[in-house]
Every structure is written in structure tokens, then in C-alpha cells.
Amino acid sequence: MSNMIRRVQNNSECEGTTFLKTLDRRCLRTRLALQDALAQEIHATGDLARVTVTGVTERANVTRRTFYSHYKDIPALVRCIEDETIEDLAPLAQRVSQVTLPQLEEAIHSFEPSPGATDVLAYFREHGNILSALLGKGGDPAFVERIKDMVSEVVQTRALDGFSTVALAAFDYYLTFVVSAEVGVLVRWLTTGMKESDYAMVCIMTAMLFIRPGDLYGRPIELDIPSLVSAAATQMEENDNGTIR
């Protein structure tokens, strides 16, 4: 049973309309039709701001009255989809964050996906129609930032576990870099048609985290990362103390 069906079962309201707490499959079908129609309208108009209730209802083959029995307006429909997506992705991100460095190393050397990583890509593939519309150029620019914020919040505590004390001053930047990079690559894959397999994308996303400068040009640059971060952290502390202007 999908997460969406469970939510319908557990909620007594479908955006303003009271209905049986048991599964209302007609309500579910209508909601899915409206979401699909929203995606089509975004792709057709090229801009979420130009999407209208009339356009969505005509594509979904439902009346405006039916739309308003589920959602207050287009922003409410968008918000509902985004909230559900964030809710679904949080436990998937949590599972990925629990992977230990030895497990990750073993997966890399075995050319296997990191545990849980393919589940994230499978979710995006399953919901690719609406998510590509909302995360694409004509969608909601704030949505990708919400995803980044959620991932950062979910993985922050785990990422700090065992983190070098020398590099603590740069942790926020490190977390921002990693989350932005991974989410950015994922969105790029999604919005360009998901041509690569889930396995291929997991390999690409993992490799990107460990690429050294020059690696892909056959001229890798060896870096003493701990010393480099330590020097940066020292300068950051001096800036905070007002010794450097």
C-alpha cells in the first residue's frame, strides 16, 4: 500500500472535505488526476504561475467544484504535493545517513550502491512526472530548497558523529556543499528525463563526492585535506576574534 493511500486512510479531511476515514478510492483517484493534470499544465505553460484551476480541471476531466472540494487553490495543491514528498523522503534520507564509512567503502570497492541510495532514486522515478514539473525551471524554486533543508536537518546529527574536531568550524559549509551537490545532481537527472538507470546514477553521485581535482583529466592533484581544512579553520577563528580584517 502506497504512502499516499495510507495518508488518505489516516486523515478525515481531503483539503476541506470531510469523508469516511476508511479508504476513499474515488478521492484518491481524483487527487492523483489533479496532480497529473498540474504536471501537464506546468509543462504546457512553462510556468507554474500561469497554471489555472480551469486548466487543471479540464485536463483532469473534473469540475471546478470537485477541485475546490479537495483544494483551496493551485498553491494549496502544490503545497500538498510538496508536503507529501518531504514526508516521504525524510525516512529515505535518514536510512542513507545511517550508512557507516566501512559500509560505504565496501559498497564502493564492490561497485555496489550504498545501502538505501537506490530507494531514493526509485522514489523520484516513481513520482517523476509531477516532481520533474515542480523541480524544473517552470516549477516552484522554493521546493528544491525545502528538500535541501529537510535533508540537512535529517543528516546533520549523523554527519557530526566522528567528524574531525579540527574541521568543526567548517562543518556547516561542508554539510551545505554535500547536500547541495547531491540534491542538485539528483534534480538534474530527474528534470532531464532520468535516462540513466538508478544504479548508474548512484555510482555517479557517489563518485562525485570523492573526485579529486584533476581526476577526470588524468592529472589528479594530491591534497592534504586535513591540513587545508585546519588552515581554513584557523583563519576563520582569527576572523571571529577580529585579528584579521
Side-chain angles (χ1 to χ4, degrees):
M1 183 181 295
S2 71
N3 289 335
M4 181 174 290
I5 292 177
R6 283 196 295 270
R7 276 193 291 269
V8 173
Q9 284 181 314
N10 294 332
N11 287 282
S12 60
E13 292 187 355
C14 187
E15 290 295 324
T17 298
T18 302
F19 61 103
L20 294 177
K21 291 186 178 181
T22 54
L23 178 60
D24 187 333
R25 294 190 178 276
R26 184 174 61 179
C27 176
L28 176 60
R29 285 195 299 271
T30 300
R31 286 164 63 90
L32 291 176
L34 290 172
Q35 290 186 14
D36 185 61
L38 173 67
Q40 294 180 50
E41 278 293 284
I42 294 174
H43 289 307
T45 63
D47 187 354
L48 175 60
R50 297 174 61 188
V51 173
T52 64
V53 172
T54 298
V56 170
T57 54
E58 288 180 352
R59 284 189 184 273
N61 196 29
V62 300
T63 65
R64 290 171 60 88
R65 179 178 180 180
T66 297
F67 177 93
Y68 289 120
S69 71
H70 291 273
Y71 303 103
K72 177 182 177 182
D73 48 27
I74 295 296
L77 169 57
V78 171
R79 184 72 181 189
C80 181
I81 296 169
E82 294 182 358
D83 287 349
E84 290 175 350
T85 300
I86 296 295
E87 181 183 342
D88 289 342
L89 287 176
L92 299 180
Q94 179 70 36
R95 183 187 174 197
V96 173
S97 74
Q98 295 304 312
V99 175
T100 64
L101 288 177
Q103 288 176 317
L104 179 59
E105 184 176 17
E106 180 180 353
I108 291 173
H109 288 314
S110 301
F111 298 101
E112 293 293 334
S114 176
T118 53
D119 292 340
V120 176
L121 271 70
Y123 179 86
F124 274 84
R125 187 180 290 280
E126 179 184 356
H127 301 86
N129 186 40
I130 184 61
L131 294 185
S132 64
L134 288 176
L135 290 169
K137 292 182 179 179
D140 178 11
F143 189 20
V144 70
E145 296 305 318
R146 290 190 64 196
I147 292 177
K148 290 179 184 178
D149 289 344
M150 177 276 292
V151 174
S152 295
E153 183 178 347
V154 167
V155 308
Q156 182 172 15
T157 301
R158 182 69 175 91
L160 270 170
D161 186 19
F163 198 80
S164 170
T165 54
V166 173
L168 280 177
F171 177 77
D172 284 346
Y173 293 110
Y174 168 74
L175 185 62
T176 298
F177 170 78
V178 172
V179 171
S180 296
E182 292 290 90
V183 172
V185 171
L186 185 58
V187 170
R188 174 69 177 175
W189 171 71
L190 172 71
T191 56
T192 53
M194 299 177 288
K195 294 183 267 316
E196 297 80 9
S197 68
D198 297 357
Y199 171 81
M201 279 310 302
V202 168
C203 291
I204 291 173
M205 293 172 70
T206 301
M208 292 295 178
L209 291 177
F210 298 96
I211 289 178
R212 297 168 299 177
D215 265 347
L216 300 184
Y217 297 89
R219 299 182 60 184
I221 300 174
E222 298 292 343
L223 293 175
D224 183 352
I225 299 298
S227 296
L228 186 62
V229 173
S230 178
T234 298
Q235 189 169 34
M236 290 167 66
E237 291 176 359
E238 291 174 347
N239 278 329
D240 290 340
N241 293 332
T243 56
I244 294 181
R245 298 291 182 186

